[in-house]
């Protein structure tokens, strides 16, 4: 690629290295390596200069992102001819020249990634902002046509919260309670930053910015909680976790799982299990476990409902079937598959959805399993995440991969204590996002960047970075969570109430409570309102106290505030 008078000529026409054939050259002399490195840097720098010097009012996709994409394609195709010989060339001089080239190019990588002029032109594009703001206007118009006062109220009609006033009350109450702990955490981050600035001889202006947050929050985990993640992972081999997890779910819910031999599956590594009621022996459903990555497979962890547990046209019950799909590394004969603790949590969470599908005994398909209110669907799965923060189940799911020894108590204690790391700030951020979503969807039109900036400053105490618009990459707003982002916090509050008020009190592995939970919550699917199920299972109105207890915030009885 070359740039002449600002116009871009395609990579193929000039450099030759991007040809569809393999034209990589391994006979470059040290002098040629040095020369080509400088030429490559110059070419790429010219492309970035072109973008960086554009009139900000005239930016478009073609003269910014496309130019950079072409430059990156050229760079990727040209770099390795220069930096790879350092590892393999038989000639010492070539290896030295290649090592130098690698260093030059690495310095250049840092330089181009920090170009403020290019950054300003890219954020000036604001393509998503225009789309999102148009979407907000159209949604508001549609809601009005359907007789709703706002898009949020249209979306909320079929949820537990029912309307935007209830969501606002819920978020305000959470904010009131979380603000003090958030403030303490902010002060602590500031003190870390002050020390850091002093050590590095930098000016300290007493402010935390958006870009400081991940860096100092990570430091808090290391300084305050000191969980040795490298050590911890050695105690969670996938087979041990799977065996422990399945046995906990069986004991808790009164079920028996049996692997089906020679089952009809879509890949050799997939296993099918039959699920029976452990008292009656009746087969109530089946689930697949597809746990390892492979070419072309879905890249995240999720539960897929495949057949609903409802009545058929003949009045007979259909067998519910679901699949858990995940991407845990496959163990080999020489190396085990070891899970990070957060992966164990994900496994527990998704399997909670599988059980919601499998235990379903509804009349109609449209209410079976996880087909419940959006702000209730995560309650059962989030509730079950609590088991990976308790000693007894953690011991059942772990063993050292080498000698089978149990996980040391001190490691467990540190892990469990770390659950509250940065909890105030992380939850306040969820409130910011929930409030931004609600504000945007209760208006006829909105300045999306300004609305987010206001909530970020007011609630989190962190100013939005000037010239950016977080909502333009807030994919939930265009991915089915519009007006409903609060559901994550809402579900968590109620899942904590269930866990602390029943399981933690009566025994986290108490089969009596587990069976009652299966009958009242899991079997009903969406055929009963979430709030009704909660009241039946709790024996009272649900409240927020357990959520705060879990976040390390306790309160006196007189302050208690039921929701
Ligand atoms: Zn989930």
């Amino acid at each position: 690629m070359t740039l002449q008078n600002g116009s871009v000529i395609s990579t193929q026409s000039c450099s030759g290295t991007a040809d569809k054939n393999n034209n990589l050259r391994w006979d470059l002399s040290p002098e040629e390596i040095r020369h080509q490195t400088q030429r490559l840097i110059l070419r790429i720098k010219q492309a970035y200069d072109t973008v960086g010097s554009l009139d900000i009012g005239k930016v478009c996709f073609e003269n910014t992102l496309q130019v950079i994409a072409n430059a990156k394609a050229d760079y990727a195709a040209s770099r390795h001819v220069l930096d790879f010989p350092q590892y393999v060339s038989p000639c010492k001089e070539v290896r030295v020249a290649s090592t130098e080239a690698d260093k030059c190019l690495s310095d250049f990588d840092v330089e181009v990634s920090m170009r403020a002029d290019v950054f300003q032109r890219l954020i000036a594009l604001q393509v998503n902002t225009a789309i999102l703001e148009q979407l907000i206007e159209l949604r508001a118009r549609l809601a009005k046509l359907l007789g709703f006062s706002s898009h949020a109220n249209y979306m909320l009609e079929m949820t537990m919260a029912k309307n935007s006033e209830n969501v606002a009350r819920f978020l305000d109450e959470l904010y009131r309670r979380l603000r003090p702990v958030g403030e303490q955490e902010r002060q602590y981050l500031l003190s870390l930053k002050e020390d850091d600035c002093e050590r590095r001889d930098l000016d300290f202006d007493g402010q935390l910015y958006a870009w400081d947050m991940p860096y100092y929050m990570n430091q808090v985990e290391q300084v305050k909680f000191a969980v040795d993640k490298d050590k911890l992972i050695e105690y969670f081999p996938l087979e041990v976790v799977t065996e422990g997890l399945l046995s906990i779910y069986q004991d808790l819910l009164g079920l028996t799982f049996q692997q089906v031999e020679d089952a009809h599956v879509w890949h050799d590594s997939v296993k099918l299990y039959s699920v029976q009621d452990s008292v009656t022996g009746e087969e109530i459903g089946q689930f697949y476990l597809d746990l390892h990555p492979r070419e072309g497979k879905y890249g995240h962890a999720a539960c897929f409902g495949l057949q609903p547990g409802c009545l058929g046209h003949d009045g007979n019950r259909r067998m519910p079937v679901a699949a858990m799909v995940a991407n845990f590394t496959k163990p080999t004969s020489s190396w085990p598959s070891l899970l990070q603790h957060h992966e164990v949590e994900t496994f527990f969470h998704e399997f909670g959805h599988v059980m919601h599908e499998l235990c379903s005994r509804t009349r109609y398909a449209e209410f079976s399993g996880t087909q419940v209110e959006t702000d209730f669907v995560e309650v059962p799965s989030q509730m079950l995440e609590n088991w990976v923060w308790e000693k007894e189940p953690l011991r059942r799911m772990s063993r050292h991969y080498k000698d089978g020894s149990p996980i040391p108590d001190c490691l467990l204690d540190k892990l469990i204590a770390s659950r509250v790391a940065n909890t105030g700030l992380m939850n306040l951020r969820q409130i910011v996002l929930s409030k931004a979503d609600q504000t945007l969807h209760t208006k006829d039109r909105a300045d999306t960047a300004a609305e987010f900036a206001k909530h970020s400053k007011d609630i989190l105490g962190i100013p939005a970075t000037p010239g950016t618009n977080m909502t333009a990459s807030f994919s939930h707003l265009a991915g089915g969570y519009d007006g409903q982002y609060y559901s994550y916090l809402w579900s968590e509050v109620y899942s904590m109430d269930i866990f602390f008020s029943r399981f933690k009190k009566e025994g986290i592995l108490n089969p009596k409570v587990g069976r009652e939970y299966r009958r009242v919550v899991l079997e009903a699917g969406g055929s009963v309102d979430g709030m009704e199920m909660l009241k039946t299972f709790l024996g009272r109105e649900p409240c927020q106290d357990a959520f705060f207890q879990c976040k390390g915030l306790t309160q006196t009885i007189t302050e208690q505030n039921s929701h």
Side-chain angles (χ1 to χ4, degrees), residues 301-303 346 349-350 352-353 377-382 385 481 488:
C303 161
T346 301
H349 176 102
E350 295 307 332
H353 286 309
V377 70
E378 297 297 333
V379 171
S381 46
Q382 283 183 338
E385 283 176 20
Y481 266 80
Y488 288 99

Side-chain angles (χ1 to χ4, degrees), residues 23-312:
N23 289 325
L24 297 173
R25 295 253 324 267
W26 306 113
D27 56 356
L28 297 179
S29 68
E31 192 43 49
E32 283 170 322
I33 288 179
R34 277 188 279 275
H35 181 62
Q36 287 200 17
T37 301
Q38 291 315 314
R39 276 187 43 196
L40 176 61
I41 288 176
L42 199 64
R43 277 206 309 278
I44 304 302
K45 190 171 172 304
Q46 274 179 350
Y48 276 77
D49 286 347
T50 309
V51 175
S53 61
L54 283 171
D55 180 342
I56 286 205
K58 294 200 174 130
V59 291
C60 64
F61 176 84
E62 286 74 18
N63 66 15
T64 55
L65 288 170
Q66 189 62 60
V67 174
I68 290 174
N70 290 347
K72 283 187 171 175
D74 177 22
Y75 189 66
S78 312
R79 194 190 207 280
H80 301 310
V81 180
L82 307 168
D83 68 14
F84 181 59
Q86 67 180 305
Y87 303 107
V88 293
S89 172
C91 169
K92 186 169 180 230
E93 287 73 29
V94 170
R95 291 199 301 273
V96 170
S98 172
T99 306
E100 281 168 11
D102 192 11
K103 189 171 176 321
C104 270
L105 291 167
S106 297
D107 289 346
F108 178 65
D109 289 342
V110 175
E111 187 190 317
V112 286
S113 69
M114 311 253 285
R115 295 267 309 239
D117 54 348
V118 173
F119 175 71
Q120 281 153 5
R121 267 83 194 160
L122 292 182
I123 58 173
L125 272 177
Q126 301 275 7
V127 181
N128 281 3
T129 297
I131 295 171
L132 179 62
E133 292 181 358
Q134 190 189 8
L135 196 56
I136 286 166
E137 285 190 41
L138 291 172
R139 282 172 172 163
R141 267 171 57 194
L142 182 67
K144 294 267 158 66
L145 285 173
L146 293 168
F148 290 90
S149 58
S150 67
H151 178 69
N153 277 335
Y154 166 52
M155 295 305 289
L156 292 167
E157 193 192 22
M158 299 287 276
T159 62
M160 283 177 78
K162 304 286 184 221
N163 58 52
S164 53
E165 289 76 33
N166 287 337
V167 174
R169 244 195 309 280
F170 167 79
L171 293 172
D172 288 343
E173 173 63 8
L174 275 194
Y175 171 54
R176 190 181 71 75
R177 301 273 292 270
L178 286 166
R179 194 173 55 174
V181 70
E183 187 48 37
Q184 270 174 20
E185 288 172 7
R186 236 171 59 80
Q187 290 306 326
Y188 187 67
L189 295 196
L190 262 180
S191 70
L192 288 177
K193 183 175 176 180
E194 190 172 9
D195 292 348
D196 216 12
C197 287
E198 209 175 295
R199 254 198 319 276
R200 294 162 190 254
D201 206 16
L202 297 168
D203 288 338
F204 174 67
D205 66 359
Q207 276 288 326
L208 276 177
Y209 299 99
W211 55 85
D212 289 325
M213 301 302 280
Y215 178 72
Y216 290 109
M217 282 164 82
N218 188 38
Q219 278 202 4
V220 169
E221 277 192 44
Q222 288 173 2
V223 175
K224 263 195 170 171
F225 297 96
V227 179
D228 186 346
K229 290 184 179 168
D230 294 338
K231 192 87 214 131
L232 194 64
I233 194 172
E234 295 180 355
Y235 290 91
F236 291 112
L238 178 61
E239 307 90 281
V240 177
V241 174
T242 308
E243 189 191 308
L245 176 147
L246 295 181
S247 86
I248 290 170
Y249 270 99
Q250 289 176 86
D251 290 355
L252 194 63
L253 300 176
L255 301 168
T256 310
F257 303 157
Q258 244 171 1
Q259 194 180 333
V260 179
E261 299 300 332
D262 303 320
H264 168 64
V265 291
W266 52 89
H267 186 267
D268 289 348
S269 63
V270 178
K271 290 177 183 161
L272 176 68
Y273 289 83
S274 161
V275 178
Q276 288 130 31
D277 183 287
S278 55
V279 174
T280 65
E282 178 201 358
E283 183 177 41
I284 65 158
Q286 295 192 339
F287 66 86
Y288 299 92
L289 287 186
D290 182 354
L291 300 180
H292 307 298
R294 63 178 171 271
E295 172 78 29
K297 183 180 150 180
Y298 176 75
H300 308 277
C303 161
F304 293 82
L306 301 173
Q307 189 164 281
C310 61
L311 296 182

